Amino acid sequence: MRKERLKSYSKFAARVYAVAAKIPKGKTMTYAEVARAAGSPRAYRAVGNILSKNYNPKIPCHRVVRSDGQAGGYNRGGWTGKEKKLRSEDAL
DNA sequence: CCCCTGACACTTA
DNA sequence: ATAAGTGCCAGGG
């Protein structure tokens, strides 16, 4: 049984969710930007970590990309074929 | 408190 | 351009 995440996330995590959910359509944010908006510009690592542990359906993780502009991992490595094309143009 | 893990970023070879 | 190493931060056990 996987660990139940419940709402045990800290303020930082909640901030990350808020920021990620705020990403407008046709736009992409890097983990660094999200971490910065979350309050810790150096916590881009924690952002990815929390995002992966606490995945929300309202959080378009595929819009969150790396500094290279390359997407990281959606759904813990589970990409949907359509999403792949979508994130190519980002729902353009 | 200590150790491990993780969907990153940056530098050097 | 690619690979490997290092540094950063937060969460969970």
Side-chain angles (χ1 to χ4, degrees):
Chain A
M1 182 74 161
R2 288 146 207 130
K3 288 197 274 274
E4 297 300 308
R5 281 116 188 85
L6 298 181
K7 50 244 176 195
S8 313
Y9 47 91
S10 302
K11 286 290 199 302
F12 183 68
R15 209 77 187 105
V16 174
Y17 293 124
V19 176
K22 276 168 192 258
I23 302 177
K25 216 175 345 176
K27 206 184 186 65
T28 46
M29 270 181 94
T30 68
Y31 287 95
E33 290 294 303
V34 177
R36 190 164 170 34
S40 296
R42 273 22 199 284
Y44 40 76
R45 273 271 190 148
V47 174
N49 190 12
I50 290 158
L51 242 59
S52 69
K53 280 169 157 96
N54 282 293
Y55 164 82
N56 278 49
K58 301 278 125 190
I59 314 293
C61 309
H62 53 277
R63 262 182 221 156
V64 184
V65 298
R66 305 193 2 184
S67 53
D68 300 278
Q70 298 301 99
Y74 186 61
N75 253 330
R76 265 249 225 162
W79 278 91
T80 24
K82 285 183 1 179
E83 306 308 288
K84 194 166 104 166
K85 191 181 154 83
L86 225 66
R87 66 94 198 200
S88 251
E89 305 293 300
D90 191 62
L92 190 64

